[in-house]
Amino acid sequence: QIQVVESGGGLVQPGGSLRLTCTATGLNRFDDYSMAWFRQAPGKEREGVACVNWSGATTHYADSVKGRFTISRDNARSTVYLQMNALKSDDTAVYYCAADFERLRRLGYCGRAADYAYWGQGTQVTVSS
């Protein structure tokens, strides 16, 4: 019974900040999994935002968010975070957390949405004045 749950979305003004949280249950070892954040705006394809390796030491970001967003993890709590600063209107989307077994160790890159087996339900982020 693997479950992934996101929280922390909401309505924020341009230039504001939000912190998203993703908690996974049912994985024998949470630190066997690379974790990623994706987002999907209405009418658009789901796109990768960031990913992190098992320990948190290696991270990757989409060019559109680099320098503004930070992905991190706390393996003791089976939790991944996405700190989002300097938010823009085009950051508006449903944000999803996803897990893939040893992805960065095996392949060395974040990959596409179709590569991930375990997904959360999504949390809405709306950036608007």
Side-chain angles (χ1 to χ4, degrees):
Q1 299 183 20
I2 296 169
Q3 187 173 9
V4 180
V5 179
E6 306 97 333
S7 62
L11 175 65
V12 65
Q13 300 267 88
S17 297
L18 285 173
R19 190 190 196 192
L20 306 184
T21 298
C22 168
T23 299
T25 58
L27 299 174
N28 184 251
R29 290 185 62 90
F30 179 72
D31 60 6
D32 282 344
Y33 289 82
S34 300
M35 303 296 295
W37 288 95
F38 290 79
R39 66 186 183 186
Q40 188 166 24
K44 296 185 178 179
E45 189 171 305
R46 191 169 299 187
E47 64 174 354
V49 176
C51 67
V52 60
N53 80 330
W54 72 276
S55 70
T58 301
T59 59
H60 299 282
Y61 299 92
D63 288 343
S64 59
V65 308
K66 192 169 186 178
R68 300 188 297 122
F69 291 11
T70 302
I71 187 171
S72 60
R73 67 191 295 162
D74 183 344
N75 288 337
R77 295 175 175 174
S78 298
T79 298
V80 179
Y81 304 97
L82 186 68
Q83 178 66 47
M84 305 186 293
N85 298 325
L87 284 161
K88 306 173 180 179
S89 60
D90 57 3
D91 294 319
T92 296
V94 178
Y95 283 70
Y96 297 92
C97 179
D100 190 29
F101 180 72
E102 296 185 349
R103 179 166 190 82
L104 289 179
R105 187 185 72 82
R106 292 184 292 115
L107 302 173
Y109 66 99
C110 294
R112 302 163 296 168
D115 297 321
Y116 287 78
Y118 306 116
W119 289 87
Q121 82 289 349
T123 185
Q124 176 72 48
V125 173
T126 302
V127 184
S128 177
S129 57

